Coordinates of all heavy atoms in Angstrom, one line a residue:
H35 N -10.9 18.0 20.1 CA -12.3 18.0 20.1 C -12.8 16.6 19.7 O -13.8 16.1 20.3 CB -12.8 19.1 19.1 CG -14.3 19.0 18.8 ND1 -15.2 19.6 19.6 CD2 -15.0 18.4 17.8 CE1 -16.4 19.3 19.2 NE2 -16.3 18.6 18.1
V39 N -15.3 14.1 21.9 CA -16.6 13.6 21.4 C -16.6 12.1 21.6 O -17.6 11.5 22.1 CB -16.8 14.0 20.0 CG1 -18.0 13.2 19.4 CG2 -17.1 15.5 19.9
D61 N 4.1 10.7 18.3 CA 4.6 12.1 18.7 C 4.0 12.5 20.0 O 2.8 12.7 20.1 CB 4.3 13.0 17.5 CG 4.8 14.4 17.8 OD1 4.3 15.1 18.7 OD2 5.7 14.8 17.1
K86 N 8.8 7.0 23.3 CA 8.7 8.5 23.2 C 7.6 9.0 24.1 O 7.7 10.2 24.5 CB 8.2 8.9 21.7 CG 9.2 8.5 20.6 CD 8.6 9.1 19.3 CE 9.1 8.3 18.1 NZ 8.4 8.6 16.9
I102 N 9.9 -11.7 20.6 CA 10.6 -12.2 21.7 C 11.9 -11.3 21.9 O 12.3 -11.0 23.0 CB 11.0 -13.7 21.5 CG1 9.7 -14.5 21.7 CG2 12.0 -14.1 22.5 CD1 9.8 -16.0 21.5
E104 N 12.3 -8.3 21.7 CA 12.1 -6.9 22.3 C 11.5 -7.0 23.7 O 11.1 -6.0 24.3 CB 11.2 -6.0 21.4 CG 9.8 -6.5 21.3 CD 9.0 -5.6 20.3 OE1 9.4 -4.6 19.9 OE2 7.8 -6.1 20.0
Y152 N -5.9 -16.2 19.5 CA -6.2 -17.6 19.6 C -7.5 -17.9 18.8 O -8.5 -17.2 19.1 CB -6.3 -18.0 21.0 CG -5.0 -18.1 21.7 CD1 -4.6 -17.0 22.5 CD2 -4.1 -19.1 21.5 CE1 -3.3 -17.0 23.1 CE2 -2.9 -19.1 22.1 CZ -2.5 -18.0 22.9 OH -1.3 -18.0 23.5
L245 N -9.8 11.0 12.2 CA -10.7 11.3 11.0 C -12.2 11.4 11.2 O -12.9 11.7 10.3 CB -10.4 10.3 9.9 CG -9.0 10.4 9.2 CD1 -8.8 9.2 8.2 CD2 -9.0 11.7 8.4
G252 N -17.5 3.1 7.2 CA -17.0 4.4 6.8 C -18.0 5.6 7.1 O -17.9 6.6 6.5
F288 N 8.8 3.1 -11.9 CA 8.6 2.0 -10.9 C 8.4 0.6 -11.6 O 7.9 -0.3 -11.1 CB 7.4 2.3 -10.0 CG 7.7 3.4 -9.1 CD1 7.5 4.7 -9.4 CD2 8.3 3.1 -7.9 CE1 7.8 5.7 -8.6 CE2 8.7 4.1 -7.0 CZ 8.4 5.5 -7.3
I299 N -4.4 19.0 -24.9 CA -3.4 19.8 -24.2 C -4.0 20.1 -22.8 O -5.2 20.5 -22.7 CB -3.1 21.1 -24.9 CG1 -2.5 20.8 -26.3 CG2 -2.1 21.9 -24.1 CD1 -1.1 20.1 -26.3

Side-chain angles (χ1 to χ4, degrees):
H35 173 83
V39 168
D61 181 291
K86 295 185 205 167
I102 289 181
E104 67 182 351
Y152 290 97
L245 285 172
F288 290 89
I299 301 289

